[in-house]
């Protein structure tokens, strides 16, 4: 490539000073003065814009008028010099600029600031704002750090299927996968015929979690993780729920609940440390624009122990807190976001694993505790977000698993292979799922999941 990255110009400014470079990018803002003009250029390699200084006695007027427009893609050649501004850094004294892609005046991002709500209406352009520029880089670094954490510890990365015939969470929130048309449906006398006519000749859907197949892999490979998109047709229109989100899901053979809790805590701290070390510029931006004290929060979390609280104690603490809640607090009921946040933000003041939930409100695959009432499951709750991890030891006993599935009215035929894992060399094993976007909410302070994905998918919203 003949172009120097803008990140390089800033990083190697001392060495590059006085040398000629050619850069290319999109104009963020342009200023036209009497003798001089300026373009702030961004090429996506850094949050920082490179100032292109244009001497009007050097640069032809027609090149200037085409290039000095927000959104235009341009190329600039010139000498790297120390910036004369207070912010310091480097800029380019341009000897030549040329237009690569014009940008007419109807470009929607003319203003310096746009609301996140407005930006959601232009997903193909919002990536050109500082917020999305920073978010995508943190998302990339965070994802890579998650891979690194597991790779460094001997986990095998497995790719679990996206199309499945099972419902891991049993919540009936599956997106159906079908090749049947409306006309096919009308031609069928009943559902059995409709399904028989379909591509797989059985009900199929997009996976809600890679866990069930992850367990299969762990029963041979010992320690595995999956990292991919998962899908939920949840109608909950909240800032925390997306119909398509990414999950990282480790599954560990021979691990019990306390073992997997230790892994989850270590992993969270590891990736927070990575973001602190590798995304300084982005964190400074998020701290300023979204969450004051963000860096100090992350430093503190990376360096302190998480709490562990029994569900039964959590219910008691919430009842005794004197807080008014919209939803009831009662043993046997699920914790709502308001309860989760009260626990982690007010009552405990740091990330907390709530353990041993009532079995009736949790999934069929969780290990049943000896008390007959609870399961060896935990959610990790963090201030500002609520649940970011769902985790459990898995039921490794064939008969207990069948009983739990039968109680829930599940079709055992759909889970034959999964059940057989409990027949052939069954071992205790545990795993969890971390929602990548929930983790991003936590490390960036951005409050709505719709702004942490390149494209967000929520009920009634499928922007292209
Ligand atoms: O708690 P969940 O439903 O757990 C599972 O899917 C398990 N099978 C995971 C496992 O043990 N392997 O989901 C796990 C995490 C949640 O804690 C949350 O962070 C995220 O996935 N999540 C969502 N994120 C965004 N939008 C949604 N609709 C989400 N539903 C769950
Ligand atoms: Mg959960």
């Amino acid at each position: 490539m003949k172009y120097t990255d803008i990140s390089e110009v800033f990083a190697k400014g001392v060495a590059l000073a006085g040398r000629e470079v050619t850069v290319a990018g999109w104009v963020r803002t342009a200023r036209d003065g009497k003798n001089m003009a300026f373009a702030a250029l961004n090429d996506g390699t850094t949050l920082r814009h490179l100032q292109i200084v244009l001497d009007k006695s050097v640069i032809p007027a027609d090149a200037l008028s085409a290039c000095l427009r927000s959104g235009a893609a341009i190329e600039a050649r010139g000498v790297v010099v120390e910036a004369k501004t207070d912010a310091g850094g480097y800029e380019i004294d341009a000897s030549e600029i040329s237009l690569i892609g014009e940008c007419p005046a109807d470009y929607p991002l003319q203003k310096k600031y746009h609301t996140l709500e407005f930006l959601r209406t232009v997903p193909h352009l919002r990536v050109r704002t500082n917020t999305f520029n920073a978010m995508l880089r943190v998302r990339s670094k965070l994802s890579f750090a998650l891979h690194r954490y597991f790779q460094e510890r001997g986990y095998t990365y497995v790719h679990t299927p996206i199309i499945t015939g099972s419902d891991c969470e049993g919540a009936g929130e599956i997106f159906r996968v079908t090749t049947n048309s409306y006309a096919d449906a009308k031609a069928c006398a009943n559902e059995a015929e409709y399904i028989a006519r379909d591509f797989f000749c059985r009900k199929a859907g997009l996976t809600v979690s890679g866990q069930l197949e992850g367990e299969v892999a762990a029963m041979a490979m010992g320690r595995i993780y999956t990292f991919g998109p998962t899908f939920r047709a949840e109608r909950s229109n909240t800032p925390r729920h997306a119909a398509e989100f990414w999950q990282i899901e480790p599954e560990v053979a021979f691990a019990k609940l306390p073992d997997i809790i230790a892994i989850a805590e270590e992993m969270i701290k590891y990736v927070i440390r990575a973001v602190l070390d590798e995304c300084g510029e982005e964190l400074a931006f998020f701290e300023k624009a979204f969450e004051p004290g963000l860096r100090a929060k992350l430093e503190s979390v990376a360096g302190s122990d998480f709490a562990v609280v029994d569900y039964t104690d959590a219910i008691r603490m919430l009842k005794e807190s004197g807080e008014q809640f919209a939803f009831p607090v009662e043993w046997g009921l699920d914790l709502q976001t308001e309860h989760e946040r009260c626990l982690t933000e007010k009552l405990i003041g740091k990330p907390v694993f709530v353990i041993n939930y009532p079995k009736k409100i949790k999934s069929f695959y969780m290990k049943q505790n000896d008390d007959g009432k609870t399961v060896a499951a935990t959610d990790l709750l963090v201030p500002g977000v609520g649940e970011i991890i769902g985790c459990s030891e898995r039921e490794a006993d064939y008969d207990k698993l069948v009983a739990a599935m039968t109680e829930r009215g599940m079709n055992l035929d759909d889970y034959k292979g999964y059940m057989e894992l409990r027949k052939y060399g069954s071992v205790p094993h545990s795993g969890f799922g971390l929602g990548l976007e929930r983790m991003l909410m936590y490390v960036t302070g951005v409050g709505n999941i719709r702004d942490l994905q390149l494209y967000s998918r929520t009920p009634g919203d499928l922007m292209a």
Side-chain angles (χ1 to χ4, degrees), residues 250-319:
E251 194 66 37
V252 186
F254 310 107
K256 299 198 163 196
L257 188 66
D259 304 314
I260 198 74
I261 286 180
I263 292 166
E265 179 168 343
E266 188 186 57
M267 177 202 74
I268 294 284
K269 289 178 181 171
Y270 178 97
V271 298
I272 286 182
R273 191 71 258 158
V275 170
L276 281 164
D277 292 346
E278 297 166 31
C279 303
E281 230 172 51
E282 289 77 14
L283 287 183
F285 167 80
F286 286 118
E287 170 136 7
K288 207 165 148 218
F290 289 91
E291 185 177 331
L294 178 66
R295 198 178 173 95
K297 171 187 92 175
L298 295 177
E299 287 283 1
S300 140
V301 167
S304 61
D305 290 338
F306 295 2
V308 178
V309 170
D310 202 279
Y311 166 88
T312 303
D313 295 326
I315 293 294
R316 186 180 42 75
M317 289 166 75
L318 287 166
K319 277 179 176 269

Side-chain angles (χ1 to χ4, degrees), residues 168-169 208-211 232 234 236 240-251 362 365 379-380 387-392 394 431-438 449:
C168 175
E169 292 309 303
V208 298
S209 160
Q211 176 195 328
R232 300 211 182 162
E234 257 171 299
S236 37
R240 288 172 193 79
H241 290 89
E244 176 174 338
F245 60 99
W246 278 60
Q247 255 192 93
I248 185 141
E249 296 180 275
E251 194 66 37
K362 287 290 187 186
Y365 54 73
D379 284 352
L380 175 62
E387 176 191 340
I388 60 167
I389 281 180
C391 170
S392 67
R394 318 307 190 187
F432 64 82
L434 167 72
L436 181 69
E437 289 81 5
R438 297 266 179 99
I449 198 160

Side-chain angles (χ1 to χ4, degrees), residues 107-302:
Y107 179 57
L109 304 184
Q110 296 288 352
K111 289 193 301 181
K112 202 155 182 210
Y113 297 104
H114 297 275
T115 64
L116 292 172
E117 288 76 10
F118 167 73
L119 292 173
R120 282 177 213 145
T121 67
V122 285
H124 59 301
L125 296 175
R126 66 177 183 175
V127 284
R128 299 192 199 175
T129 61
N130 291 341
T131 301
F132 283 83
N133 189 314
M135 182 280 286
L136 284 177
R137 207 166 307 101
V138 174
R139 187 173 168 123
S140 170
K141 295 286 183 196
L142 177 63
S143 301
F144 203 69
L146 284 162
H147 274 295
R148 212 166 51 232
Y149 173 83
F150 289 110
Q151 291 289 330
E152 283 171 355
R153 285 159 185 78
Y155 288 64
T156 300
Y157 176 32
V158 300
H159 303 112
T160 49
I162 300 289
I163 301 176
T164 69
S166 57
D167 180 359
C168 175
E169 292 309 303
E173 291 161 346
I174 309 264
F175 281 103
R176 289 286 302 274
V177 171
T178 177
T179 49
N180 278 344
S181 66
Y182 179 58
D184 290 329
K186 282 206 295 190
C188 293
N190 51 44
E191 196 187 15
E193 205 182 300
Y194 176 78
I195 291 168
R197 187 188 273 247
D198 208 349
F199 189 90
F200 295 107
C201 304
R202 61 175 284 190
K203 273 191 186 175
L206 297 178
T207 188
V208 298
S209 160
Q211 176 195 328
L212 301 188
E213 297 86 355
E215 285 187 53
V216 170
M219 289 304 105
M221 309 299 288
R223 287 194 298 283
I224 65 95
Y225 68 102
T226 82
F227 193 1
T230 50
F231 308 87
R232 300 211 182 162
E234 257 171 299
R235 294 235 172 234
S236 37
N237 231 322
T238 80
R240 288 172 193 79
H241 290 89
E244 176 174 338
F245 60 99
W246 278 60
Q247 255 192 93
I248 185 141
E249 296 180 275
E251 194 66 37
V252 186
F254 310 107
K256 299 198 163 196
L257 188 66
D259 304 314
I260 198 74
I261 286 180
I263 292 166
E265 179 168 343
E266 188 186 57
M267 177 202 74
I268 294 284
K269 289 178 181 171
Y270 178 97
V271 298
I272 286 182
R273 191 71 258 158
V275 170
L276 281 164
D277 292 346
E278 297 166 31
C279 303
E281 230 172 51
E282 289 77 14
L283 287 183
F285 167 80
F286 286 118
E287 170 136 7
K288 207 165 148 218
F290 289 91
E291 185 177 331
L294 178 66
R295 198 178 173 95
K297 171 187 92 175
L298 295 177
E299 287 283 1
S300 140
V301 167

Side-chain angles (χ1 to χ4, degrees), residues 41 74 91 101 106 111 129 144 163 233 339 369 374 423 439:
L41 201 66
I74 67 164
E91 55 192 30
D106 64 356
K111 289 193 301 181
T129 61
F144 203 69
I163 301 176
H339 309 136
N369 288 330
T374 61
K423 201 166 138 194
M439 186 65 194

